Amino acid sequence: MSVTAVVGGQWGDEGKGRVVDYLSQRADMVIRYQGGDNAGHTVVNEFGTFKLHMVPSGIFNPQTVCVVGTGTVVNPPGLLAEMDTVAAAGVSLDNLWISNRAHVVLPYHPRLDALREARAGDKKIGTTKRGIGPTYADKAARIGVRVGDLLRPQYLRGRLEQVIPIKNQLLAHHDLPLIEFEPLWEQCVAWGKALQHRIVDVLPMIQKAVTNGQRVLLEGQLGVMRDLDWGIYPYVTSSNPATGGACSGAGIPPTRIDEVIGVVKAYATAVGAGPFPVELFDEDGQKLRDVGHEYGATTGRPRRCGWFDGVAIQYAMWLNGVTALAITKLDVLDDFDQIKVCVGYQLDGERLRHFPDTPDLERVTPVYETWPGWKTSTRQARTWDDLPKAARNYLHRLAELAGCPIRYVSVGPERPALVVLDTFGVQDLGGNA
Ligand code: GDP
Ligand code: IMO
Ligand code: MG
């Protein structure tokens, strides 16, 4: 299998960074295809612990070419600071490339993001305030600045001359300080100089890798529930985390994606606002948060926690075209007497047959079934047989609900803490995918 997308199957923070880091040991290329530094992908390996925001999680393998892809939005000072952090840990950045077609998060984008949130009252999205929405909005409105523009000072000047008056009109309307043209232009040119050796047309290298059958990973940001089109709109991000976004964002046609790994936690978390039917407000929810260290990797906000949502997963499986699951954080459930799984939604006294849109999702009541806990540590498990019987039964149920086999079960944040089911168990692990 040469091209594998690794996508989030829930509300984000499923452990994509952890899975991509593991798979990168044998990958020739990793491409981040959408999103920006709203992402926080945690990687724990021999170099240390990292919360990567923009740098692809394959960076730790010196043989892996890492691409910040065309569908991303790049915050240059954030990326430069992150590169420094990674380099300081002894990691080579020689193979890091940035698409000239990616868009630039300019200083006014986070300001406008924060302003929108501040003025939204109880209609807040709960964004990361990294300027993601405003940057993608400008991209769609065709008033964005692209990374390649940073290398062409005169062209950039022309672009900014077009864009800044529009932005200043908006800022003036909100009584905010206006953008000064020359300092911004100079700043952009300086960012271009700092990144100049890495900004390239990435398509030729991607085409070559794919055509030569190299192992390419597409690293998703966030999860399908926050997808701009299919997520819980308007409580979504402004890009497409679902696999479709990988095609446009990376520049790889759908016919060339061989495999899609859907990364899902063994329970559910969400950070930010919006309907989250399985959310727990009781001591089980607090226990999931405490044991799972469920605090946002980017903003530090406590994550909302709940049981596994078997309705949402079916929706996510279809939209992502998942061919195999990576279930993470199984170990977090080690000490629960009972574990619940949402197997349906009730709305107005009826059982729903499909995952509903936001206004209905806000009103559903989850239907749970209860599974016995295993009350023993899975942290050292490395094979299917190492897992307690009750844990295997639970995983079977998740695979059945998803209609898809499980390939990986993660039992700790560190790279080796993984049960790999490559060669066996796939059929009886379920489903009909
Ligand atoms: P991502 O955004 O999808 O890459 O996920 P995050 O890094 O935001 O959140 C996942 C968190 O769970 C991180 O703190 C990881 O170190 C941690 N993690 C990943 N897999 C496991 C696991 O199997 N067990 C435990 N206990 N922690 C894990
Ligand atoms: P990773 O890649 C979890 C959430 C925000 C908010 C919504 C929109 O680590 O899974 P945005 O800043 O994108 O405009 O915010 O999306 N959000 C995330 N939640 N993990 C992330 O990234 C997130 N990136 C954004 O909390 O609800
Ligand atoms: Mg994260």
Side-chain angles (χ1 to χ4, degrees):
M1 291 290 178
S2 59
V3 181
T4 301
V6 180
V7 299
Q10 295 165 316
W11 278 257
D13 301 328
E14 297 90 349
K16 299 173 291 291
R18 184 257 184 281
V19 171
V20 171
D21 172 62
Y22 173 81
L23 295 175
S24 295
Q25 293 174 99
R26 293 190 298 148
D28 298 299
M29 180 178 272
V30 177
I31 310 171
R32 276 277 318 268
Y33 58 82
Q34 41 76 232
D37 61 359
N38 51 343
H41 292 187
T42 313
V43 171
V44 183
N45 60 24
E46 74 267 26
F47 290 97
T49 297
F50 302 85
K51 293 186 186 304
L52 298 175
H53 301 292
M54 284 258 45
V55 173
S57 302
I59 197 70
F60 303 96
N61 180 349
Q63 314 301 326
T64 307
V65 173
C66 285
V67 178
V68 179
T70 293
T72 65
V73 291
V74 176
N75 181 340
L79 176 59
L80 286 162
E82 186 172 334
M83 285 162 54
D84 284 347
T85 308
V86 172
V91 178
S92 165
L93 294 174
D94 289 354
N95 273 333
L96 178 66
W97 304 101
I98 307 162
S99 171
N100 59 345
R101 293 179 173 88
H103 276 248
V104 182
V105 179
L106 289 164
Y108 47 84
H109 291 124
R111 276 167 64 196
L112 291 169
D113 194 357
L115 175 76
R116 191 228 164 261
E117 286 290 272
R119 305 222 170 151
D122 64 354
K123 299 283 183 297
K124 274 190 180 58
I125 295 168
T127 73
T128 57
K129 299 187 189 152
R130 298 298 173 105
I132 305 300
T135 308
Y136 277 113
D138 281 1
K139 172 179 170 176
R142 291 151 297 179
I143 53 169
V145 167
R146 299 196 298 172
V147 172
D149 301 347
L150 304 178
L151 301 182
R152 299 168 191 265
Q154 289 321 310
Y155 180 80
L156 174 69
R157 182 174 279 283
R159 289 295 297 158
L160 290 176
E161 276 167 1
Q162 226 188 327
V163 173
I164 298 309
I166 302 173
K167 292 292 148 190
N168 274 341
Q169 233 175 358
L170 185 67
L171 292 167
H173 176 76
H174 290 290
D175 290 328
L176 288 173
L178 303 188
I179 302 156
E180 289 181 56
F181 185 93
E182 286 301 325
L184 177 65
W185 178 78
E186 282 167 17
Q187 179 67 84
C188 288
V189 173
W191 289 332
K193 283 206 175 106
L195 292 168
Q196 63 184 340
H197 301 300
R198 303 182 187 279
I199 301 173
V200 292
D201 181 352
V202 294
L203 195 60
M205 70 170 87
I206 291 171
Q207 275 179 302
K208 196 168 155 204
V210 174
T211 311
N212 291 344
Q214 292 195 327
R215 287 161 301 196
V216 177
L217 296 176
L218 307 177
E219 178 175 0
Q221 190 256 327
L222 250 174
V224 72
M225 292 299 151
R226 302 284 192 192
D227 184 278
L228 178 59
D229 288 292
W230 292 101
I232 50 172
Y233 194 90
Y235 306 100
V236 291
T237 196
S238 299
S239 64
N240 293 110
T243 309
C247 299
S248 51
I252 296 184
T255 44
R256 303 308 288 262
I257 296 185
D258 302 295
E259 201 176 14
V260 181
I261 307 283
V263 186
V264 293
K265 274 180 195 170
Y267 50 97
T269 65
V271 59
F276 182 44
V278 290
E279 183 167 13
L280 294 171
F281 299 95
D282 59 7
E283 58 188 40
D284 281 338
Q286 190 55 43
K287 188 167 168 182
L288 287 171
R289 188 173 304 109
D290 290 344
V291 180
H293 305 293
E294 296 295 356
Y295 295 88
T298 297
T299 59
R301 289 178 289 178
R303 292 177 182 148
R304 302 156 71 190
C305 296
W307 299 118
F308 189 88
D309 189 329
V311 183
I313 196 67
Q314 286 168 5
Y315 183 72
M317 297 302 288
W318 171 259
L319 291 166
N320 280 327
V322 173
T323 55
L325 286 170
I327 299 198
T328 60
K329 306 193 87 161
L330 183 74
D331 55 300
V332 173
L333 300 178
D334 283 351
D335 192 38
F336 282 81
D337 294 324
Q338 292 190 320
I339 298 162
K340 291 189 183 174
V341 181
C342 167
V343 293
Y345 293 157
Q346 290 274 127
L347 182 67
D348 299 330
E350 292 200 11
R351 185 85 169 244
L352 294 186
R353 292 171 63 85
H354 299 287
F355 187 81
D357 194 14
T358 310
D360 282 343
L361 191 65
E362 280 168 343
R363 298 192 308 116
V364 300
T365 309
V367 180
Y368 290 110
E369 61 185 29
T370 303
W371 289 76
W374 40 95
K375 302 288 286 181
T376 173
S377 174
T378 57
R379 289 293 303 259
Q380 302 308 320
R382 298 293 178 268
T383 70
W384 181 247
D385 291 334
D386 290 342
L387 292 167
K389 178 102 175 59
R392 284 184 275 160
N393 288 342
Y394 178 69
L395 290 169
H396 262 287
R397 184 62 176 135
L398 302 194
E400 188 177 71
L401 285 165
C404 181
I406 300 170
R407 171 81 53 78
Y408 306 100
V409 180
S410 175
V411 290
E414 311 83 12
R415 195 186 266 175
L418 199 68
V419 173
V420 181
L421 302 165
D422 263 323
T423 51
F424 81 101
V426 168
Q427 292 313 320
D428 37 40
L429 272 177
N432 44 19

